[in-house]
Amino acid sequence: MLLEEIHSPADLKQLDRTQLDLLAKEIREEILQTVSQNGGHLASNLGVVELTIAMLRVFSPPKDKILLDVGHQCYPYKLLTGRFDRFSTLRQWQGISGFPQPEESEYDPFTAGHASTAISAAVGLSRARDLQGQDHHVVALVGDGALTGGMCYEALNDAGSSKERMIVIVNDNGMSISGITGALSGYLTYLRVSKGWINVKKAISSLLHHIPVFGNRLFDSFGRFKDNIRNFFVHDKYFSALGFRYFGPIDGHNEEALERILRRASQFTEPVVIHVITQKGHGYQPAEDQPDVFHGIPPFYVESGAVRKSGGETMFGREASSYLLNKCEQGAPIAAVCAAMADGTGFSDWKLRRPDRFFDVGIAEEHAVTMAAGLARGKMRPVVAIYDTFLQRAYDQILEDVCQQKLPVLFLLDRAGFSAADGSTHHGVFGLSYLLPMPGMRVYCPAGKGQLIGAIDAGLSVDGPTAIRYPARMPKWDGGTDGLLKDAEHWTAVREGTDCVLLCAGAILEEGLKAADLLKQQEISCRVVSCCRVKPLDEEFLKSLAAENIPFFTLEEHEEIGGFGMYVTGWCRENGVRDPRKVFAVKDRFVPHGGRKDLLQLCGIDAQTVADTIEQTMQKQTENNA
Ligand SMILES: Cc1ncc(C[n+]2csc(CCOP(=O)(O)OP(=O)(O)O)c2C)c(N)n1
């Protein structure tokens, strides 16, 4: 197997063309087998195999810096930069990450996970190189989907005006996760199918094929020649206007042509954009047919492409979306806003049922929020569905454009809590920290369907902003049915208990209930409380706890600083009552990837640790009282 022999880009440079073709096949097979077992980003990786080989044959990382935007297409890169032997551990607890990680390898120059950052980081790395008199290449690979993110434009604008020596490769596969939105994608299509180029190409090809004997050989040389003439025929305006030299479009599955253009681009001292056309899912039929389904996929059967465990679970996002869609169809002035994640947030039905009320703005979370503020100003009731982790990017827009104006925007933050295999860049564990300090923002963390609907109704009826945070799946305790708990406003005891109380913010209630079961075995009777509305706090409930003088604890799947437990602690101190004995939360750290159970344990918020700690605390108290 050739892959076993490749430990660094230097090894790759020794291979001949036949070996390179074989290598591309091996890489695809390795990725397919591993992702079918571990889950992961399949289609994007299958699409960049030849491009990655070409980049690593022309450039020499770690000296040269290759930055992968989002980073989800890093699998071929990892396989060719010394991580083949660990590749089977991809996205597993203590295995290699599904994203670039400088801590994992010197070949990864920059952490990625959130989109549209690579060009900015590349501008910085180019400037650092020049300031220190160094002479390496800096390359940013960015997808056409990521290019919908405003930061890309800011970076191109900056680099183009100062003529930074860097190469931006635009990987144009016509797709974001699903279809692509925005005018720029239309422009890329225009370049791709540019009439002048296609006609000239056809004319020259047919002419050469009609020349006897030498025709075919001439046609091969034309392959090389066409890269050189293409610039005369495809006249780019956008990148040139921003100060970049444009090359393309290039066939992203023709490794030889890619190498040629990369070598040429590497000779320039000014910024260059190379426009590469690839096919998402290339080489695996099910992924070619359904690149959106195979963008990020759980474990599946290679032969059929069918997912191994088809969940049958109830998803928070889908429930929220269908409830709102019905309301919209009944005449409510609701408009839904997504940022390139209509499927992930469960909002794709809007495209079919109410396309007039649905706005997918692309990977543009900041724009999504301020645009929603505009909708609200114009008397609509906008609902913004974005992952908890990606909404971080729009902090300023939520605070300044929504909260300052007390506008009734309803935020639905999906994937709150650990996102497990995706890892540190994707965990939704900062949502409360950024939302709670915002004046006027109401925040809910439903633990099941009843509370979700209650929170949505509350959010639609108040005259100001509301945020509802939930994980992907509804916890089983609630059965995903109509929901045992319908009250989103008042904290509610789900399990009675007389020795202590565990206040649970959101769906981690399920873990809290398990902890109470364990405590029961130790003859400690723990009351478990579901705290859906986190802001404003249920002050009456806290006052009644203080009056009862019962020890209590808080539990959340969230960073401690700025989170639920600290918020409750602050209220207790302010009101001169006893604060929680312990706050169970993530303690000031980035949490790696792994199984959910591993991560809960790592952070000390799993049922066993919670129960053990409560038991010890209660024991100490009994000793102190004795
Ligand atoms: C800020 C942010 N928003 C949303 C996402 C989710 N996301 C991951 S990849 C992706 C699509 C990227 O499309 P493209 O850059 O074209 O890459 P492709 O997968 O098509 O190769 C999206 C929306 C993200 N990673 N970061």
Side-chain angles (χ1 to χ4, degrees):
M1 194 185 198
L2 272 171
L3 254 176
E4 283 169 350
E5 312 295 318
I6 311 289
H7 304 292
S8 72
D11 298 331
L12 196 59
K13 290 180 172 103
Q14 311 301 325
L15 304 185
D16 62 28
R17 190 114 312 276
T18 319
Q19 289 173 311
L20 289 173
D21 290 344
L22 185 61
L23 182 70
K25 283 202 185 91
E26 286 182 10
I27 294 173
R28 285 206 166 83
E29 188 54 28
E30 190 63 28
I31 291 174
L32 194 56
Q33 291 305 331
T34 307
V35 177
S36 73
Q37 294 294 328
N38 300 3
H41 291 96
L42 185 70
S44 315
N45 281 289
L46 294 180
V48 296
V49 173
E50 288 80 11
L51 182 53
T52 308
I53 294 176
M55 287 194 300
L56 289 172
R57 274 170 61 85
V58 172
F59 302 108
S60 300
K63 182 170 177 271
D64 293 331
K65 313 295 174 204
I66 299 180
L67 294 101
L68 307 177
D69 202 287
V70 186
H72 63 311
Q73 74 293 57
C74 66
Y75 304 173
Y77 186 87
K78 291 202 173 192
L79 280 169
L80 297 173
T81 53
R83 283 164 276 185
F84 166 66
D85 54 344
R86 284 177 287 159
F87 199 67
S88 61
T89 68
L90 183 77
R91 292 160 48 90
Q92 310 277 52
W93 172 241
Q94 297 190 328
I96 61 171
S97 165
F99 292 91
Q101 284 276 350
E103 284 171 16
E104 183 183 287
S105 165
E106 60 174 344
Y107 288 100
D108 297 357
F110 212 79
T111 302
H114 288 205
S116 320
T117 63
I119 310 178
S120 295
V123 179
L125 280 161
S126 305
R127 287 182 176 149
R129 171 200 60 206
D130 296 345
L131 288 169
Q132 294 168 88
Q134 296 163 348
D135 185 34
H136 50 264
H137 295 286
V138 178
V139 181
L141 172 66
V142 55
D144 50 343
L147 216 52
T148 59
M151 245 177 105
C152 289
Y153 165 75
E154 295 170 31
L156 288 169
N157 193 37
D158 181 16
S161 74
S162 59
K163 293 286 168 205
E164 251 21 270
R165 175 160 81 93
M166 61 185 285
I167 297 170
V168 174
I169 302 174
V170 175
N171 173 24
D172 177 4
N173 53 26
M175 298 283 294
S176 190
I177 286 181
S178 43
I180 205 156
T181 55
L184 190 58
S185 95
Y187 176 67
L188 290 177
T189 308
Y190 154 76
L191 291 179
R192 204 183 316 151
V193 298
S194 180
K195 214 168 164 228
W197 161 243
I198 283 180
N199 287 344
V200 171
K201 186 172 119 174
K202 269 194 201 144
I204 296 179
S205 306
S206 88
L207 181 77
L208 294 180
H209 278 306
H210 282 91
I211 301 175
V213 190
F214 292 114
N216 285 346
R217 240 184 284 157
L218 281 173
F219 182 74
D220 289 344
S221 341
F222 169 61
R224 257 160 271 140
F225 170 67
K226 71 186 180 187
D227 295 333
N228 299 330
I229 62 170
R230 189 164 310 196
N231 287 308
F232 292 108
F233 298 103
V234 177
H235 186 63
D236 154 71
K237 293 191 186 78
Y238 180 77
F239 298 106
S240 316
L242 288 168
F244 277 70
R245 185 180 281 256
Y246 170 90
F247 290 100
I250 314 287
D251 175 357
H253 299 297
N254 180 342
E255 199 277 331
E256 205 174 358
L258 285 167
E259 270 192 47
R260 264 199 309 275
I261 202 78
L262 287 174
R263 283 190 208 290
R264 199 168 157 211
S266 69
Q267 287 156 10
F268 284 88
T269 53
E270 60 191 280
V272 171
V273 161
I274 304 175
H275 182 185
V276 175
I277 311 298
T278 62
Q279 181 189 30
K280 214 164 167 165
H282 193 74
Y284 177 56
Q285 199 60 46
E288 286 183 9
D289 294 343
Q290 290 185 293
D292 49 347
V293 173
F294 285 87
H295 175 90
I297 183 138
F300 63 95
Y301 298 105
V302 174
E303 302 71 36
S304 61
V307 170
R308 281 175 200 259
K309 243 200 292 173
S310 60
E313 293 149 311
T314 313
M315 310 297 274
F316 266 107
R318 282 193 70 80
E319 293 296 320
S321 163
S322 83
Y323 185 70
L324 285 158
L325 196 44
N326 285 339
K327 280 204 167 275
C328 176
E329 286 176 337
Q330 285 157 18
I334 297 171
V337 180
C338 283
M341 303 294 287
D343 293 338
T345 54
F347 270 68
S348 38
D349 283 356
W350 286 71
K351 286 188 232 169
L352 299 171
R353 280 167 60 184
R354 285 311 296 258
D356 58 322
R357 292 287 184 88
F358 180 67
F359 303 98
D360 184 347
V361 298
I363 307 178
E365 288 79 4
E366 307 97 306
H367 164 60
V369 171
T370 302
M371 194 273 287
L375 281 168
R377 221 346 143 228
K379 304 263 182 283
M380 295 297 292
R381 296 291 306 211
V383 175
V384 180
I386 292 182
Y387 286 11
D388 186 279
T389 185
F390 301 140
L391 196 61
Q392 283 163 198
R393 185 162 279 195
Y395 183 92
D396 186 67
Q397 286 76 7
I398 307 172
L399 186 65
E400 298 301 322
D401 300 330
V402 176
C403 293
Q404 287 267 3
Q405 306 190 73
K406 302 185 181 65
L407 290 170
V409 178
L410 176 60
F411 293 97
L412 297 177
L413 281 68
D414 207 310
R415 305 301 194 273
F418 297 134
S419 72
D422 279 337
S424 64
T425 52
H426 281 60
H427 298 314
V429 290
F430 299 102
L432 293 176
S433 307
Y434 66 78
L435 292 167
L436 291 179
M438 296 191 179
M441 176 67 83
R442 297 167 69 84
V443 184
Y444 293 83
C445 299
K449 185 170 170 182
Q451 287 181 344
L452 171 73
I453 302 302
I456 292 177
D457 283 342
L460 289 178
S461 60
V462 292
D463 210 11
T466 301
I468 307 177
R469 300 178 69 245
Y470 44 75
R473 287 170 189 79
M474 272 190 193
K476 295 214 174 54
W477 81 277
D478 202 28
T481 58
D482 271 354
L484 300 174
L485 286 180
K486 303 224 185 294
D487 190 347
E489 301 298 324
H490 303 99
W491 295 0
T492 315
V494 180
R495 170 90 50 89
E496 287 304 336
T498 48
D499 296 327
C500 62
V501 177
L502 182 59
L503 302 180
C504 304
I508 197 154
L509 176 67
E510 198 176 29
E511 205 65 20
L513 285 166
K514 284 186 206 154
D517 288 340
L518 294 168
L519 284 165
K520 200 170 165 196
Q521 291 165 18
Q522 306 304 318
E523 294 180 358
I524 295 173
S525 160
C526 179
R527 190 183 311 158
V528 182
V529 177
S530 168
C531 307
C532 175
R533 199 188 70 202
V534 168
K535 187 184 174 190
L537 292 169
D538 189 342
E539 298 192 6
E540 291 311 312
F541 190 97
L542 284 169
K543 281 179 198 161
S544 73
L545 267 191
E548 203 181 336
N549 198 20
I550 185 168
F552 72 98
F553 303 80
T554 64
L555 176 62
E556 66 205 285
E557 197 170 322
H558 187 275
E559 166 59 37
E560 179 181 44
I561 301 172
F564 171 64
M566 293 292 249
Y567 192 35
V568 170
T569 305
W571 184 91
C572 292
R573 300 215 171 142
E574 189 71 19
N575 288 276
V577 300
R578 190 87 201 257
D579 53 16
R581 298 294 154 90
K582 173 115 187 107
V583 168
F584 293 101
V586 179
K587 308 275 180 194
D588 198 16
R589 63 168 301 167
F590 286 110
V591 180
H593 57 278
R596 188 175 143 72
K597 271 192 191 148
D598 303 315
L599 304 184
L600 290 172
Q601 248 168 31
L602 177 76
C603 298
I605 53 176
D606 60 304
Q608 189 67 57
T609 312
V610 169
D612 291 348
T613 315
I614 291 181
E615 191 190 343
Q616 285 156 18
T617 314
M618 300 293 289
Q619 241 163 23
K620 255 192 222 148
Q621 181 179 312
T622 321
E623 283 159 20
N624 290 347
N625 291 348

